[in-house]
Amino acid sequence: MKVRGIAWLGVRTERYDAMTRFYREVLGLEPRFEIAGQFSVFDLPGGDRAEVFAVTAPFNQHFPAAPVAGFLVDDVAAARAEMEAKGVEFVHQGESEGGLVAWAHFRAPDGNLYEITHRKDLDAD
């Protein structure tokens, strides 16, 4: 497994409106996708992605109220198998419609959740 970077950051928060306002007004980002009051996706200029989830959102309910970073890998299934062979505990796996994005959340030794992720739009040519 080769980690190519940190391509994703997600946060589940009780202060959803304040966080999305922060992303817009302080960081100058516009949402690429949004479900009002529940979920927002912000794409950064370098291709990285930040997502904000309200605590009431039906998505990623297994997240703590803390940021979760996503490590970019070439193959989520292969990376997961390699990590599991080394004793890493996975708690969730998903894939977007059409298979453009795949991810798997795992618990690291610090007790926090992280993810491995693959996005086809970030594949090297």
Side-chain angles (χ1 to χ4, degrees), residues 12 59-64 91-93 103 105 107 113:
R12 185 173 194 79
F59 317 105
N60 290 328
Q61 291 185 346
H62 61 284
F63 273 24
V91 298
H92 182 266
Q93 184 158 337
W103 62 90
H105 297 119
R107 193 162 310 283
L113 286 184

Side-chain angles (χ1 to χ4, degrees), residues 27-41:
L27 300 180
L29 301 171
E30 287 299 319
R32 178 178 79 76
F33 176 80
E34 189 168 35
I35 298 173
Q38 299 230 347
F39 174 57
S40 293
V41 176

Side-chain angles (χ1 to χ4, degrees), residues 23-90:
Y23 276 59
R24 286 185 175 104
E25 297 173 9
V26 176
L27 300 180
L29 301 171
E30 287 299 319
R32 178 178 79 76
F33 176 80
E34 189 168 35
I35 298 173
Q38 299 230 347
F39 174 57
S40 293
V41 176
F42 297 88
D43 284 345
L44 285 73
D48 301 325
R49 182 167 288 159
E51 296 179 352
V52 180
F53 305 88
V55 293
T56 58
F59 317 105
N60 290 328
Q61 291 185 346
H62 61 284
F63 273 24
V68 176
F71 295 97
L72 184 65
V73 297
D74 291 324
D75 183 325
V76 169
R80 177 178 177 160
E82 185 176 328
M83 292 172 72
E84 284 178 324
K86 295 178 180 177
V88 176
E89 170 199 4
F90 279 80

